[in-house]
Amino acid sequence: MSQIKLKFPENFLWGAATSAYQVEGGNKNNWSEWEKANAKRLTSETKKKWQKWQQEKFPEMFEEKNYISGRACDHYNRYEEDFDIAKQLGHNAHRFSIEWSRIEPEEGKFDEKEIEHYRKVLKALRARKIEPFVTLWHWTNPLWLKNGELNKKFPKYFSRYVKFVIEKLGDLNNFWITLNEPTSVIFSSYIQGAWPPQKRNPFKALCVYKNLAAAHNLTYSEIHRIAPQAKVGFSNIMIYIEPTHKWHLLEKLIVKISDYFSNRKFLKMTNGNNDFLAIQYYFHKKISFFGMNAEKNKNVSDLDWDISPEGIYPLLKSLKKYNLPIYITENGLADKEDKLRSAFIKEHLKWIHRAIAEKVDVRGYFYWSLLDNFEWDKGFWPRFGLVEINYETLERKIRPSAWEYKKIIEANGIIDESKS
Ligand code: BGC
């Protein structure tokens, strides 16, 4: 029985990602205020939101403190220890985000101490020979910015903050991600109305598309003006959407429209202003005449999200026409017991490899996430980490899948047993 080794390109970047609000602890921004105002409500909605097996497996979802980010993983103080772990796990790249509300706590007043903190974070990565990818906005806004991303001055304010950051940190970092998943915010805050500012209004959703695209385009030029060598992109969540019945014209039409708004519109609005494409893949949806239904495989994550590794392949293929380097800047699952994570990573990598073999220029993969962390409106119970966090003691414990991932990294490839 022969085994086929799937080799990845030389200098492929392997790592994991985090975001400031989810791991740092001690943040004060629009989300931290929202969580305080909403923790009680979120606790009381638990019974109707989650299935019985989830409620039984995660009783902490019934506690109000689950919905308060508080000190999170205390990564703000423990980043050295966490990067030691990343290094130990073989990572040669790491994605994290800078918290705008720390850098500019009051409008126009920039905090030198906080920028110094992120200089140290970048230096800590460089000292370990880990290539940083820095996200400048991972959904959180400073409190002074009224209406956040809906504010028509958002592009102006955001680019002023970015200018300050690049002037101070531009010498230490090459890869900048301006915005994390614009469409997740547009959908969850302005279509579903679940996230702050909980405004359900399609017109506002369109305004946010416009503001965020303008913010990206403005900062793209600004970053290049200050740091010509920098590589700039935004991270795009891509959902693989297909019709349940291939012959159903209406389903096909709904697929086209959903695919446009989810996966393509923002890319079009920023076309020409991306040095690379950053793709984040979690979901596969099947459209049926009656609406969007997640197709359920037998394997689902703790969040009951469908696991469909094959969906990443057509998405990657569809990006080939842009002729830009592609990085998978997030892909992961909530799996407290770590039963599915190794296979999850490996299966996704197989499909990514197939795209690479067909000349799609994928250059890196970042698992979400390095650490268990605070999962937005769901709080602490979903466990995405390669590293488990004990939120009482803040002890870090490396999960077995992290060692499996390390083997892949060391081999710069995977063994595909299915082809044997
Ligand atoms: C976000 C992360 C989040 C992850 C899992 C991504 O959409 O960028 O912040 O934790 O998905 O839900």
Side-chain angles (χ1 to χ4, degrees):
M1 186 162 75
S2 70
Q3 289 181 326
I4 297 178
K5 184 149 183 200
L6 305 178
K7 266 274 178 206
F8 279 73
E10 235 178 274
N11 302 323
F12 197 78
L13 294 180
W14 298 103
T18 64
S19 91
Y21 173 64
Q22 295 178 270
V23 296
E24 280 184 349
N27 281 318
K28 198 165 163 47
N29 55 36
N30 64 325
W31 266 90
S32 68
E33 295 313 283
W34 182 86
E35 72 189 31
K36 278 181 216 134
N38 287 274
K40 216 186 176 75
R41 173 181 64 80
L42 292 167
T43 316
S44 73
E45 288 171 0
T46 304
K47 261 207 149 57
K48 67 169 192 285
K49 256 199 203 150
W50 304 105
Q51 299 182 37
K52 225 173 162 51
W53 65 269
Q54 293 169 303
Q55 296 177 21
E56 280 163 13
K57 191 166 173 186
F58 300 100
E60 64 268 40
M61 64 166 70
F62 289 97
E63 291 173 39
E64 229 170 286
K65 69 172 192 220
N66 172 69
Y67 303 93
I68 301 287
S69 60
R71 64 180 180 170
C73 312
D74 194 30
H75 178 72
Y76 186 82
N77 296 307
R78 296 171 194 240
Y79 61 91
E80 297 260 9
E81 176 188 344
D82 293 336
F83 296 163
D84 281 341
I85 295 175
K87 183 77 200 158
Q88 195 187 347
L89 293 174
H91 298 193
N92 61 14
H94 179 75
R95 172 175 174 239
F96 71 95
S97 77
I98 291 183
E99 177 60 32
W100 184 358
S101 60
R102 286 190 190 274
I103 303 294
E104 192 181 359
E106 283 176 58
E107 195 203 320
K109 295 210 172 113
F110 296 93
D111 190 325
E112 294 287 345
K113 266 206 330 282
E114 292 292 352
I115 204 78
E116 191 46 38
H117 167 79
Y118 289 110
R119 270 196 84 76
K120 287 191 194 140
V121 171
L122 282 165
K123 283 184 178 164
L125 287 170
R126 290 254 170 249
R128 290 165 180 78
K129 300 210 175 352
I130 298 178
E131 182 73 37
F133 271 55
V134 178
T135 312
L136 292 155
W137 184 78
H138 200 119
W139 303 346
T140 51
N141 294 317
L143 287 172
W144 55 262
L145 180 52
K146 296 287 165 257
N147 291 325
E149 58 281 339
L150 199 52
N151 188 323
K152 61 177 187 306
K153 290 192 181 153
F154 182 91
K156 186 181 125 199
Y157 289 134
F158 180 66
S159 66
R160 183 176 63 182
Y161 143 72
V162 171
K163 175 174 178 281
F164 178 77
V165 171
I166 306 298
E167 278 168 354
K168 301 286 180 173
L169 306 180
D171 56 326
L172 288 172
N173 184 49
N174 295 323
F175 293 94
W176 297 97
I177 293 177
T178 54
L179 305 169
N180 181 67
E181 297 185 0
T183 51
S184 295
V185 172
I186 291 165
F187 182 75
S188 300
S189 300
Y190 300 93
I191 301 291
Q192 254 189 348
W195 289 359
Q198 292 188 279
K199 290 187 176 149
R200 251 174 114 156
N201 180 330
F203 173 71
K204 290 199 162 81
L206 289 174
C207 292
V208 177
Y209 266 116
K210 205 165 139 240
N211 280 349
L212 292 179
H216 172 85
N217 290 332
L218 202 59
T219 44
Y220 178 85
S221 318
E222 193 64 18
I223 296 173
H224 279 293
R225 194 180 56 74
I226 305 166
Q229 83 293 350
K231 303 283 179 224
V232 184
F234 75 94
S235 65
N236 193 15
I237 184 159
M238 295 196 84
I239 304 173
Y240 180 53
I241 311 170
E242 55 175 352
T244 305
H245 312 97
K246 299 236 177 333
W247 46 265
H248 202 301
L249 288 181
L250 197 60
E251 285 184 359
K252 278 167 56 177
L253 181 68
I254 302 172
V255 167
K256 250 200 151 22
I257 296 169
S258 320
D259 179 65
Y260 174 73
F261 281 100
S262 301
N263 300 331
R264 321 271 161 203
K265 183 174 162 69
F266 204 82
L267 207 49
K268 278 209 157 80
M269 292 171 94
T270 59
N271 201 8
N273 289 334
N274 291 302
D275 302 323
F276 61 88
L277 301 177
I279 302 311
Q280 317 203 145
Y281 177 70
Y282 291 91
F283 304 110
H284 168 213
K285 302 271 180 199
K286 276 207 167 191
I287 299 287
S288 84
F289 184 59
F290 302 103
M292 274 247 207
N293 286 332
E295 183 196 49
K296 289 279 161 62
N297 288 331
K298 26 180 202 325
N299 285 341
V300 292
S301 75
D302 287 343
L303 279 161
D304 199 31
W305 293 356
D306 184 47
I307 300 174
S308 302
E310 67 283 1
I312 199 167
Y313 167 75
L315 291 171
L316 287 172
K317 293 278 286 188
S318 74
L319 298 174
K320 197 170 163 211
K321 62 173 186 220
Y322 287 95
N323 237 332
L324 288 170
I326 299 173
Y327 297 90
I328 315 292
T329 43
E330 282 185 34
N331 172 232
L333 89 168
D335 176 22
K336 181 186 178 188
E337 288 159 354
D338 204 38
K339 286 194 177 137
L340 305 171
R341 192 171 281 105
S342 299
F344 177 98
I345 294 175
K346 208 166 161 184
E347 288 303 313
H348 281 81
L349 287 171
K350 269 190 211 165
W351 288 99
I352 293 167
H353 185 274
R354 182 186 280 204
I356 294 174
E358 291 168 23
K359 305 265 176 292
V360 181
D361 187 10
V362 184
R363 298 190 185 179
Y365 176 84
F366 295 78
Y367 176 79
W368 179 271
S369 174
L370 178 64
L371 311 171
D372 283 342
N373 59 56
F374 187 72
E375 178 61 17
W376 306 102
D377 58 334
K378 297 166 191 75
F380 284 114
W381 68 263
R383 302 277 186 157
F384 278 87
L386 291 170
V387 178
E388 180 187 338
I389 301 285
N390 176 331
Y391 291 112
E392 298 300 320
T393 62
L394 294 175
E395 188 200 340
R396 274 81 169 133
K397 199 162 143 202
I398 298 175
R399 291 199 164 99
S401 56
W403 298 113
E404 291 302 311
Y405 183 36
K406 182 180 184 179
K407 286 186 199 154
I408 296 174
I409 298 173
E410 280 179 344
N412 199 38
I414 45 178
I415 309 287
D416 185 0
E417 274 114 13
S418 64
K419 285 194 185 162
S420 56

